[in-house]
Each structure stands twice: as C-alpha cells, then as structure tokens.
Amino acid sequence: MAGQDKVTLHGFWASPYAKRVELALILKGIPYEYVEENLPSKSSELIKYNPVYKKVPVLVHNGKALSESLVIVEYIDETWKTGPKLLPEDPYKRAQVRFWANYLDQLFGSMLNALKSIQGEAQQNAFMEVSHKLEVLEEGLKSFYPDCAQVDAASVGLVDLVMVCMFGGRKVQEEVLGINVIDHEKIPLVSAWITALGDIPLVKEALPPHDKLVAFLKYIREYALKSSAP
C-alpha cells in the first residue's frame, strides 16, 4: 500500500535535519518527490505546510504535512515496514534512542555556535563545549551502542542518521574551522562510527558534495563574524 502513496519532502541541500529525513526515505526504499527550498525566500507551500516554524524539513504524505525531523523519521519508520527498522520495538530501547538523538541535536547546536564564534576566548570556549559533549557521547556509546562501528545499510537506525548527517562532513568542518573536531585518539568509537556510516554507498551518495559544503559553511562563518564585529 505504501508504494501507492504520494510522498513529498521539502528540504534544503545543506540542512542536516532535512538530510536525515531524505536518508530515511532512501534507506527504506520509499519513492518520493523532493522540493528544494530557497530559505531566504520560502515557498508558499512551505509556509502553508509548516505555519508554526516555517522551516525545513516538511514531509507531505497524501496531502498531510509533518514537520520536525525526528518526528518525521519516527513517522516514516512506523508507516513503512520496508528497509531497516529505524527505532527498536522495545519501549526502553526506543526511549534510549530518542535520548541520544536529542543529545546529538544539542551537540550540533554547540557545533554551530563554534562555527559562528569569533576568534579568541569565545571560540575556544565553544570548542571546549563541543569536545566535552563528544567525550560524553563516547562514554555513552560504550554501553548503548558498542557495535556502532559495524553499522551497514541494513542496520542503520535513527541515531545513525542523526550522527552521519551532522558529522559525516567532519572533514568539511575541520577545513572551515581549522581544527580537528573529531579526534580519533580521544574519541575512537565516535570516529570509527562516523567513518563506517560514511562508507555506506547510499549514505555517501546522498551527503552534500565536499566543495559545495565548504563554500557554504565558509559563507555562514564569514557572515556570522561580520555580524559580531564591533
């Protein structure tokens, strides 16, 4: 029945939140139409379908719209039974998955603050916060997800999607920021996990091109630095 459904995703190519939804659709084998949004000039459809936040991603399934990426991915997992199971059936394990997915969103928020921070003490503090949260994640993975480095297309879950869409472009982030964000010596499990996810062919194909993303992040950083200048 799902194969007869009409699915449309409104996204933005550089958005890790839209990308995680797109990857969920791809890994599940769900046919969909993609609408690239121009965020400075949002389409009337985006505003219509997401009147509260007016942002991507928005999934429209048979005329019914959903917003907020984590909500959308759960909906996809519950609606379509094809492909990998993105959340476990066990209620406790599902709660753990939701916890770490939300933790990764907070971690990425800290990463964005580092990207936009000016040189000097502010930038150093921003990176210290990112580093601390990554170390907490490393410890959490040892008990929650010890085999994460063995992940493949058949075993990808929600936390994997969140992680690879936010840090799959770590080399881009390192090039723009001039710092080794994911230090293999300090957080080997996280580093191996990201590498394993990035090596999955479907994931590798779906992630944004390196050079294009470098240019975009440089623009975001330069704009932020100019805005904060006295």
Side-chain angles (χ1 to χ4, degrees):
M1 182 179 72
Q4 301 172 352
D5 293 344
K6 179 175 174 53
V7 179
T8 303
L9 172 63
H10 292 256
F12 174 63
W13 71 271
S15 167
Y17 305 99
K19 188 60 65 176
R20 68 177 63 156
V21 174
E22 187 177 1
L23 266 175
L25 293 169
I26 291 171
L27 290 166
K28 286 277 195 179
I30 303 166
Y32 67 99
E33 175 188 352
Y34 179 77
V35 178
E36 176 73 7
E37 290 286 347
N38 178 9
L39 298 186
S41 180
K42 298 170 184 176
S43 71
S44 58
E45 284 188 326
L46 179 62
I47 295 172
K48 169 188 172 184
Y49 288 131
N50 189 2
V52 177
Y53 296 117
K54 301 178 178 65
K55 63 181 183 180
V56 297
V58 170
L59 185 82
V60 185
H61 179 207
N62 292 336
K64 296 179 179 179
L66 289 163
S67 58
E68 293 301 287
S69 61
L70 295 181
V71 173
I72 296 172
V73 172
E74 282 206 48
Y75 175 83
I76 289 170
D77 196 43
E78 292 171 357
T79 304
W80 286 274
K81 305 307 178 184
T82 57
K85 184 67 179 169
L86 302 177
L87 286 96
E89 295 289 350
D90 179 77
Y92 178 72
K93 291 180 179 178
R94 286 176 72 89
Q96 283 187 307
V97 165
R98 291 189 182 105
F99 172 85
W100 285 111
N102 279 289
Y103 180 85
L104 282 170
D105 272 354
Q106 294 173 24
L107 171 57
F108 190 67
S110 298
M111 188 69 196
L112 288 177
N113 289 337
L115 176 69
K116 296 176 181 179
S117 64
I118 59 176
Q119 302 289 337
E121 185 177 351
Q123 186 182 67
Q124 184 179 4
N125 290 339
F127 278 118
M128 285 179 60
E129 181 178 351
V130 171
S131 178
H132 172 70
K133 287 183 177 178
L134 282 169
E135 289 172 4
V136 171
L137 175 64
E138 177 83 7
E139 289 302 311
L141 288 177
K142 291 176 182 178
S143 57
F144 164 67
Y145 200 13
D147 298 325
C148 61
Q150 306 301 319
V151 69
D152 56 26
S155 61
V156 168
L158 173 60
V159 179
D160 299 299
L161 292 179
V162 175
M163 188 64 181
V164 75
C165 291
M166 291 184 167
F167 290 98
R170 59 176 173 170
K171 294 190 181 302
V172 172
Q173 296 158 355
E174 290 166 7
E175 183 174 337
V176 173
L177 295 169
I179 190 170
N180 186 9
V181 179
I182 308 296
D183 188 331
H184 182 74
E185 297 297 323
K186 292 182 178 179
I187 47 172
L189 193 57
V190 170
S191 178
W193 180 25
I194 297 171
T195 299
L197 287 168
D199 286 341
I200 298 172
L202 285 175
V203 173
K204 187 181 295 185
E205 185 178 348
L207 291 178
H210 177 90
D211 292 345
K212 187 178 181 182
L213 195 53
V214 165
F216 177 74
L217 289 184
K218 282 184 176 179
Y219 168 78
I220 294 296
R221 180 161 173 74
E222 288 169 4
Y223 180 82
L225 294 179
K226 287 179 181 177
S227 299
S228 62

